[in-house]
Amino acid sequence: MMIFLFLLFSCITFHLYKLIFQNRSCCYLLHYECYKATDDRKVDAETCAKIVMRNKNLGPQEQRLILQTMVRSGLGDETYCPRNILEGREAAPTLSDSLSEIDDITFDTLDALFAKTKISPTDIDILVVNVSLFSPAPSLTSRVVNTYKMREGIKTFNISGMGCSATIVAIDLVQQLFKTHNKALAIVVSTESLGPNWYCGKESSMLVASCLCRSGGCSMLLTSNGSFKGKSVMKLNQLVRTHLGADDDAYNCCIKTEDKLGHQGFLLTKGLSRATSIAFTLNLKVLIPKILPGKDLLLYVFHSYSRNRAKDSTVAIPSSIEEAGGGISLKAGIEHFCIHPGVRALIDGVGKSLGLDDYDLEPSRMALHRFGNTAAAGVWYVLGYMEAKKRLKRGDRILMIGYGAGFKCNSCVWEVTRDLTGGNVWEDCIDSYPLPTVNVSPFLGMFG
């Protein structure tokens, strides 16, 4: 009973705070631009097979694991790959390869962003670049400043090691800076460096990441200037970050390391599923009181209390991602869901946890099929699908959920400020989606 009263009081206090203070510091999204590589970098089933088979360290068992992963992944055969991998140089990437890969994504999206918004690079006050696995000197932010000749007073931040949830970390940094920088313009660039980080060993727990990750990225323009509200596409309402780094199992479940032969790669342990479930559960406990109306919040509190009593524990630890949400429906406070398109099983698990249907999960499933796991930029390809399908109407609320090494679960809620109808990177293929059945993998016919 005390827990119930405490949560009820917290809910009432939060809504009063929101009513009084929410307009003091705003974060508006003016535009976002996703990256789409050229057709010569597409990776079909046959090309994937060639990349796998030329790894001389793999035996039949490891080859079988990779092909099974590809068949079950949910990826299509039109995703994109770095040039050095397509050219067979993944075992010996150069610094030039690394810089070229990031430059293509960063400057392609920023050029389009500046052109479409008519904002000059010299007007930007804050610049954040997040690339987890590549951090050269000078920094990537300095590379952007030099290319566009940005002004001397710009505040720059280079984020690395944050994994697939880094884009929400970057947005949180921007919104915190907006509290002390009125009428500021900020750029966030989210992408990943795949070319120099391709795993060429044979450890099964390190092979999966290379099977799923593909080239992609996104640049966003945000502002704290209320006069831009009419030109904005979305407004940030909530943002919640959960970090399990203090737990050794969670910290080590998704980590870059070396195998016994000295090959570097990303290790995914059996503890990843449990870490994801716990992080998601804890994140929801903070987020749900901020987004659900009173009636639905009371139902959530009652359900959580009952579940905790049934498990004879003050904090019920879910055994899987499907149980993390406890079956609670967020649709009273959220219209659209951008779930990180990392792998099909994760999308389906989160969907089951939150009671989502095929319509809700369609954007994430299709983004995974068309573009693959594009790391921190993935949620923006999901958003692009919704916009291209003309789903997003003024007043709609969008939940973005991302997971990353550390281990982290980050989420944010956007409110659409005007009807969105842009085609973006989906323009030339949106009429082909949704697929009749996304469960039929293009790799199945070749490798099944």
Side-chain angles (χ1 to χ4, degrees):
M1 188 64 182
M2 291 298 295
I3 295 176
F4 172 80
L5 293 175
F6 174 75
L7 290 174
L8 182 62
F9 175 76
S10 298
C11 179
I12 294 173
T13 303
F14 169 76
H15 285 292
L16 286 174
Y17 174 86
K18 179 180 176 182
L19 184 66
I20 298 172
F21 295 105
Q22 67 175 348
N23 291 322
R24 290 196 174 184
S25 176
C26 296
C27 178
Y28 293 102
L29 177 71
L30 295 180
H31 189 66
Y32 68 99
E33 195 72 30
C34 290
Y35 175 73
K36 186 177 182 181
T38 52
D39 287 347
D40 62 330
R41 289 175 54 191
K42 283 186 178 180
V43 186
D44 57 17
E46 183 178 358
T47 304
C48 282
K50 291 179 180 178
I51 295 173
V52 171
M53 297 306 177
R54 70 180 176 225
N55 183 350
K56 303 304 181 183
N57 293 311
L58 300 181
Q61 183 177 348
E62 291 81 21
Q63 292 175 345
R64 187 179 300 111
L65 170 66
I66 292 178
L67 298 179
Q68 287 175 343
T69 301
M70 290 161 60
V71 168
R72 299 170 182 171
S73 65
L75 273 68
D77 58 356
E78 290 190 315
T79 59
Y80 303 98
C81 198
R83 291 192 185 278
N84 71 298
I85 296 175
L86 290 173
E87 295 170 0
R89 294 184 290 104
E90 64 270 20
T94 65
L95 178 60
S96 178
D97 290 329
S98 304
L99 291 171
S100 177
E101 178 187 4
I102 299 300
D103 285 352
D104 284 348
I105 297 171
T106 301
F107 300 131
D108 180 272
T109 54
L110 284 179
D111 285 348
L113 193 73
F114 291 133
K116 292 179 181 179
T117 61
K118 308 301 182 185
I119 297 290
S120 170
T122 56
D123 293 331
I124 302 302
D125 303 290
I126 300 166
L127 172 65
V128 183
V129 176
N130 64 260
V131 179
S132 289
L133 301 177
F134 182 53
S135 185
S139 68
L140 294 173
T141 50
S142 294
R143 199 169 180 84
V144 173
V145 171
N146 177 261
T147 298
Y148 291 104
K149 308 306 177 188
M150 293 175 163
R151 57 190 179 84
E152 293 83 354
I154 189 171
K155 304 294 186 295
T156 62
F157 302 86
N158 207 81
I159 299 177
S160 64
M162 292 292 182
C164 296
S165 66
T167 190
I168 299 178
V169 175
I171 291 170
D172 183 36
L173 172 60
V174 168
Q175 75 153 349
Q176 297 299 330
L177 291 168
F178 278 170
K179 294 178 181 180
T180 55
H181 293 75
N182 296 324
K183 298 182 179 181
L185 288 168
I187 289 285
V188 171
V189 180
S190 288
T191 185
E192 191 52 274
S193 175
L194 301 182
N197 293 289
W198 192 265
Y199 180 59
C200 297
K202 64 176 183 179
E203 294 295 329
S204 58
S205 56
M206 299 175 69
L207 288 168
V208 176
S210 292
C211 294
L212 304 175
C213 295
R214 296 292 187 269
S215 295
C218 184
S219 290
M220 299 135 261
L221 177 62
L222 305 109
T223 185
S224 58
N225 192 339
S227 64
F228 281 106
K229 181 179 180 180
K231 297 180 180 180
S232 68
V233 295
M234 297 192 302
K235 175 187 175 184
L236 183 64
N237 282 352
Q238 306 294 340
L239 193 149
V240 176
R241 293 170 58 182
T242 303
H243 202 309
L244 301 183
D247 183 280
D248 290 343
D249 290 337
Y251 176 83
N252 290 297
C253 74
C254 179
I255 189 169
K256 185 177 180 181
T257 186
E258 285 185 346
D259 64 16
K260 296 177 181 179
L261 298 177
H263 298 290
Q264 292 190 9
F266 235 80
L267 173 68
L268 304 179
T269 73
K270 294 181 179 180
L272 178 60
S273 177
R274 183 175 183 273
T276 303
S277 302
I278 296 174
F280 187 39
T281 301
L282 295 176
N283 191 275
L284 287 177
K285 286 187 176 182
V286 178
L287 178 67
I288 285 177
K290 298 181 178 183
I291 61 175
L292 286 184
K295 176 183 175 182
D296 296 88
L297 182 58
L298 291 175
L299 289 174
Y300 169 73
V301 171
F302 176 77
H303 180 85
S304 298
Y305 179 68
S306 300
R307 186 175 62 173
N308 288 344
R309 286 195 63 187
K311 294 195 175 186
D312 192 26
S313 171
T314 55
V315 180
I317 302 300
S319 59
S320 66
I321 188 69
E322 289 85 353
E323 297 181 7
I328 185 68
S329 173
L330 301 184
K331 292 186 179 181
I334 300 292
E335 283 76 30
H336 308 283
F337 299 84
C338 289
I339 303 168
H340 169 59
V343 65
R344 189 171 63 195
L346 176 63
I347 296 172
D348 294 346
V350 172
K352 184 176 181 180
S353 173
L354 300 179
L356 306 182
D357 55 28
D358 288 340
Y359 178 84
D360 299 318
L361 299 179
E362 178 188 309
S364 293
R365 288 170 173 169
M366 299 306 120
L368 177 63
H369 181 272
R370 177 62 183 84
F371 293 99
N373 181 348
T374 52
V379 289
W380 297 99
Y381 288 90
V382 180
L383 182 71
Y385 181 90
M386 295 176 181
E387 182 178 2
K389 283 293 186 183
K390 299 178 174 56
R391 291 188 178 191
L392 305 179
K393 307 299 180 183
R394 182 178 179 182
D396 285 357
R397 291 151 299 182
I398 304 165
L399 173 62
M400 284 186 174
I401 304 172
Y403 303 90
F407 186 82
K408 298 179 285 295
C409 174
N410 299 325
S411 63
C412 64
V413 177
W414 298 92
E415 181 180 339
V416 181
T417 52
R418 57 184 170 91
D419 293 356
L420 302 182
T421 59
N424 54 75
V425 291
W426 290 92
E427 190 168 15
D428 65 341
C429 64
I430 193 63
D431 292 337
S432 302
Y433 289 91
L435 301 178
T437 169
V438 76
N439 291 324
V440 178
S441 169
F443 302 98
L444 187 59
M446 179 172 291
F447 308 127

